[in-house]
């Protein structure tokens, strides 16, 4: 099926022959835009290798799973967009004790037109099932994760090793290249946390269903606390309560950038600007929060969510016998622990990436002064080898950079296929982002996946760029294509959130549950079919969106 593969973008690779099904689900939050060659050349293979290591540690991998001639399987790039291998991730639902492929799809990929799983020889494996069972028992007994703090210390040391803005280009490039093995280890930890969460939450879900209370799944995880990716939003909320012209605000905003300036849109890509590089993006989010009433405050929502959560937990436990109740308590505690760990490991990785971004920026500014491109992201259109040579003669790469910038613009104007099954559809068949679907009318409904409990009504505000929230404010429902941490501060300005894509383990769900905002994800095509300004109702308990 890959014989006819044609590379569209510099970072592309051919789909796997053995594991041909791919999806933008989940990974679209990590790399929502066209992946820049400098970033992918530096960390793409390290990400693949780190992911494989995490799966080996978990016990998922069987002999022969990964063909020797396919370097990239779990992660791939088609037409510049990053994809996750649904074929292989689904195997966790096949090999894990009591696992279900349907649960894996719901956790990671959401609603899509992906073909149903078809069993194949070799998918089931007794040894891996035994190993995964042992892993699950270990995870259910885990009380803390000291390695997480150790990783933070290692990242602080990596940042401290930055050669300095006066260092030579050779020293700065050596610093960037030293990140590859370090990133591999950090990313492996992040994947370990993510799929550990999948295992323990799967066990918890089974018991919630056994108790006859599946409708309480979204309530029992609301407001669990210590979700690091929600911290920037909470800090922005406090700033939104201050006079923007006051000295108190200015000092507070400086502290915010010092603590959270590494975060921002498309933050995994070295070529993207975080809040510290473009503070106006953070200011726009804070300004959008200002008109919101204090009932939106994260603290007030935490109190409400805790009461709902405690009631839901009591109801679930009441529907279980003593032994099942004991197992539920362990599974629930582990789910909370690894939900927190997943977001914490992500924050740790992003801090390290920003250290590399700083080095790349220093080299970019020198090249720009020598006749290179002014926009930093354009210098990341070169792979690592090209960028190294670009530093010695910037003007020689002007044509290549502009050629790739033009293609980058064309790819960015298109919606990549959500599913790739063996063959990457021709670029000419992709829908344009500017195109519209059939608009929903009064009384029409859209079914997504329930993210955070609660029912809210408001005006639909379709926002396509988190740095330009437009008129979003009190009484509005945020309609977004996808969410990464740059979007979540806008949650506090809205009554509810509806997202085109996503799943029960997506960033939007985890953060909305922490902030107490009714949320529906995997509402496919919401940004193109819900007209801006119409009154809608969002039911975060059932996943139903209704045009009023």
């Amino acid at each position: 099926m890959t014989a006819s593969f044609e590379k569209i973008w510099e970072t592309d690779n051919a789909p796997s022959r053995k594991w041909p099904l791919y999806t933008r689900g989940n990974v679209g939050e990590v790399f929502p835009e066209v992946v820049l060659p400098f970033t992918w050349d530096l960390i793409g293979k390290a990400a693949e290798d780190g992911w494989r290591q995490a799966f080996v540690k978990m016990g998922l991998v069987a002999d022969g799973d990964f063909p020797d001639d396919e370097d990239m399987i779990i992660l791939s790039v088609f037409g510049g967009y990053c994809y996750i291998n649904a074929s292989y991730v689904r195997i966790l639902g096949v090999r894990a004790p009591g696992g279900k492929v349907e649960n894996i799809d719901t956790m990671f990929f959401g609603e899509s037109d992906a073909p149903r799983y078809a069993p194949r020889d070799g998918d089931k494996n007794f040894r891996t099932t035994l190993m995964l069972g042992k892993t699950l028992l270990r995870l259910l007994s885990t009380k803390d994760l000291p390695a997480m703090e150790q990783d933070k210390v290692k990242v602080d040391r990596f940042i401290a090793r930055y050669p300095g803005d006066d260092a030579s280009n050779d020293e700065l490039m050596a610093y960037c290249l030293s990140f590859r093995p370090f990133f591999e280890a950090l990313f492996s930890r992040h994947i370990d946390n993510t799929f550990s969460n999948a295992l323990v939450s799967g066990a918890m879900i089974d018991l919630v269903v056994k108790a006859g209370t599946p409708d309480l799944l979204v309530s029992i995880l609301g407001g669990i606390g210590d979700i690091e990716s929600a911290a920037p939003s909470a800090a922005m909320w406090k700033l939104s309560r201050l006079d923007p012209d006051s000295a108190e605000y200015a000092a507070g905003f400086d502290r915010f950038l010092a603590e959270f300036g590494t975060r921002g849109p498309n933050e995994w890509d070295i070529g993207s600007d975080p809040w510290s590089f473009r503070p106006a993006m953070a200011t726009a989010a804070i300004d959008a929060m200002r008109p919101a009433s204090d009932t939106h405050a994260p603290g007030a929502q935490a109190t409400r969510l805790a009461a709902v959560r405690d009631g839901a937990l009591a109801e679930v436990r009441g529907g279980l016998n003593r032994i099942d109740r004991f197992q539920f308590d362990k599974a629930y505690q582990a789910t909370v622990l690894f939900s927190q760990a997943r977001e914490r490991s992500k924050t740790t990785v992003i801090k390290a990436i920003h250290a590399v971004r700083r080095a790349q920026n220093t080299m970019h500014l020198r090249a720009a002064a020598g006749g290179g491109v002014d926009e930093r992201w354009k210098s990341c259109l070169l792979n690592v080898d090209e960028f190294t040579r670009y530093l010695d003669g910037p003007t020689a790469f002007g044509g290549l950079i502009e050629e790739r910038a033009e293609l980058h613009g064309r790819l960015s104007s298109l919606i990549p296929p959500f599913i790739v099954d063996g063959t990457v559809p021709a670029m000419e068949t992709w829908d344009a982002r500017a195109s519209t679907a059939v608009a929903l009318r009064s009384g029409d409904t859209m079914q997504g996946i329930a993210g955070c409990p609660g029912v809210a009504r408001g005006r639909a505000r379709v926002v396509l760029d988190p740095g330009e929230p437009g008129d979003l404010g009190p009484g509005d429902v945020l309609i977004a294509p996808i969410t990464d941490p740059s979007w979540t501060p806008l949650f506090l300005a809205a009554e509810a959130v509806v997202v085109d894509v996503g799943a029960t383990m997506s960033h939007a769900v985890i953060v909305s549950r922490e902030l107490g905002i009714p949320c529906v994800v995997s509402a496919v095509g919401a940004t193109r079919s819900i007209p801006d300004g119409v009154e809608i109702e969002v039911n975060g308990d059932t996943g139903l969106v209704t045009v009023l």
Side-chain angles (χ1 to χ4, degrees):
M1 278 189 282
T2 59
S4 61
F5 170 74
E6 292 186 12
K7 195 173 183 177
I8 299 173
W9 183 242
E10 171 66 21
T11 58
D12 286 3
N13 61 274
S16 171
R17 297 182 303 276
K18 183 169 184 176
W19 310 101
L21 184 65
Y22 291 82
T23 176
R24 282 282 289 158
N26 194 265
V27 77
E29 295 180 326
V30 179
F31 286 105
E33 300 176 16
V34 175
V35 181
L36 297 177
F38 184 87
T39 296
W40 199 247
D41 193 17
L42 190 67
I43 66 172
K45 184 62 167 61
E48 171 80 15
D49 292 345
W51 202 315
R52 293 189 189 190
Q53 289 171 20
F55 278 175
V56 169
K57 176 187 174 185
M58 182 176 288
L60 175 63
V61 179
D63 291 341
D65 275 359
F66 300 127
D68 292 338
D69 62 346
E70 294 185 350
D71 289 337
M72 302 295 292
I73 294 178
I74 302 174
L75 287 170
S76 289
V77 177
F78 309 133
Y81 289 93
C82 193
Y83 284 77
I84 186 175
N85 192 299
S87 293
Y88 195 76
V89 173
R90 279 175 163 181
I91 292 298
L92 181 62
V94 176
R95 294 177 179 171
K100 300 180 182 67
V101 171
E102 294 79 8
N103 289 350
I104 296 298
D105 283 358
T106 301
M107 285 182 189
F108 290 100
F109 311 135
E111 298 291 331
S112 74
D113 56 357
R116 294 177 60 85
Y117 167 72
R120 306 180 304 176
D121 290 343
D123 283 359
K124 290 186 177 182
N125 184 285
F126 176 76
R127 185 188 66 82
T128 60
T129 298
L130 181 62
M131 293 295 293
L132 287 165
K134 291 180 178 179
T135 297
L136 178 58
L137 291 175
R138 172 177 59 82
L139 297 175
L140 291 173
S141 300
T142 302
K143 303 298 181 185
D144 55 30
L145 297 166
M148 298 292 296
E149 294 305 316
Q150 294 167 10
D151 282 349
K152 284 189 173 184
V153 172
K154 292 176 183 177
V155 167
D156 288 341
R157 289 173 180 166
F158 177 75
I159 294 171
R161 291 206 323 269
Y162 177 68
D165 293 346
D166 295 330
S168 68
N169 285 340
D170 287 345
E171 291 172 319
L172 291 168
M173 276 306 305
Y175 180 73
C176 292
L177 293 173
S178 74
F179 184 54
R180 276 177 174 153
F182 186 38
F183 175 83
E184 182 177 318
L186 292 174
F187 191 69
S188 184
R189 180 95 64 201
H190 177 58
I191 296 301
D192 187 26
N193 288 332
T194 299
F195 284 86
S196 293
N197 189 28
L199 279 176
V200 296
S201 62
M204 181 195 70
I205 290 169
D206 287 344
L207 289 164
V208 172
V209 172
K210 189 174 183 179
T213 56
D215 56 317
L216 296 180
L217 276 171
V218 293
S219 298
I220 61 177
L221 291 173
I224 60 176
D226 201 20
I227 299 294
E228 287 197 3
S229 52
S233 300
M236 285 179 167
W237 176 266
K238 291 180 180 178
L239 289 171
S240 75
R241 305 297 95 179
L242 301 176
D243 179 353
D245 297 321
S246 68
E248 184 181 5
Y249 175 84
F253 190 71
D254 287 343
R255 287 193 299 271
F256 171 84
L257 291 179
E259 186 172 359
F260 302 113
T262 59
R263 310 307 297 260
N266 198 21
E267 60 189 3
W268 290 78
D269 201 311
I270 294 165
S272 293
D273 289 341
W275 290 327
S276 61
F277 281 20
R278 292 175 58 196
M281 292 189 295
T283 301
I286 294 169
D287 288 344
M289 294 180 188
R290 291 190 187 283
S293 71
D294 289 341
T295 58
H296 285 239
Q301 294 294 344
T303 301
R304 178 184 67 82
L305 289 171
V308 173
R309 182 182 67 245
D310 291 345
L313 285 171
E315 189 172 343
V316 173
R317 296 181 81 251
L320 298 170
N321 62 42
R322 182 172 59 85
I323 295 176
D324 286 342
R325 193 180 307 131
F326 173 76
Q327 293 298 334
F328 170 77
D329 289 344
K330 293 184 69 173
Y332 177 76
Q333 291 164 8
T335 299
V336 169
L337 177 67
F338 284 102
S339 294
Q340 295 165 337
R342 179 197 178 199
E343 296 304 300
R344 188 173 302 131
S345 59
K346 181 191 300 181
T347 300
T348 303
V349 175
I350 294 303
K351 284 185 65 177
I353 287 175
H354 185 64
V356 177
R357 181 183 290 120
R358 181 181 173 189
Q360 193 278 336
N361 182 54
T362 299
M363 292 184 283
H364 153 71
L365 291 173
R366 292 174 184 172
V373 292
D374 291 329
E375 300 104 318
R376 189 179 68 85
W377 75 271
K378 284 189 175 182
S379 68
C380 289
L381 289 168
L382 303 172
N383 63 34
V384 171
D385 178 66
E386 291 166 343
F387 182 77
T388 302
R389 290 185 282 121
Y390 166 76
L391 296 174
D392 294 328
T395 56
F397 287 82
L400 177 61
I401 289 174
E402 290 309 316
E403 178 184 328
R404 287 184 183 166
E406 190 275 333
L407 177 57
H408 182 280
R410 281 194 287 143
L411 290 168
S412 298
S413 71
L414 301 173
I415 301 173
F418 191 73
I419 297 294
V420 168
D421 190 6
T423 302
V424 181
M427 179 176 155
E428 292 73 23
T429 67
W430 299 9
D431 289 337
R433 291 192 186 276
S435 64
T436 58
V438 176
L440 296 180
R441 299 181 178 182
S442 178
D444 288 348
T445 61
M446 172 176 283
Q447 184 64 54
I449 293 176
C452 180
V455 178
R457 292 185 174 191
R459 293 179 303 275
R461 292 300 181 200
V462 179
V463 180
L464 302 179
D465 183 341
E468 299 178 6
D471 296 328
L472 180 71
D476 293 339
V477 174
L478 171 63
I479 315 293
I482 201 163
T483 62
D484 61 20
S486 66
W487 284 91
T488 46
L490 300 181
F491 288 15
L492 290 172
E495 305 300 322
V497 180
V498 177
V499 187
D500 279 349
V501 299
T504 58
M505 288 186 66
S506 67
H507 178 79
V509 169
I510 291 172
V511 176
S512 65
R513 286 176 180 170
E514 191 65 13
L515 299 176
I517 309 298
C519 175
V520 171
V521 297
S522 205
V524 180
T527 54
R528 296 196 296 155
S529 57
I530 298 179
D532 188 82
V534 301
E535 192 83 7
I536 64 172
E537 179 180 271
V538 179
N539 190 321
D541 298 285
T542 65
L544 190 68
V545 179
T546 304
V547 177
L548 302 177

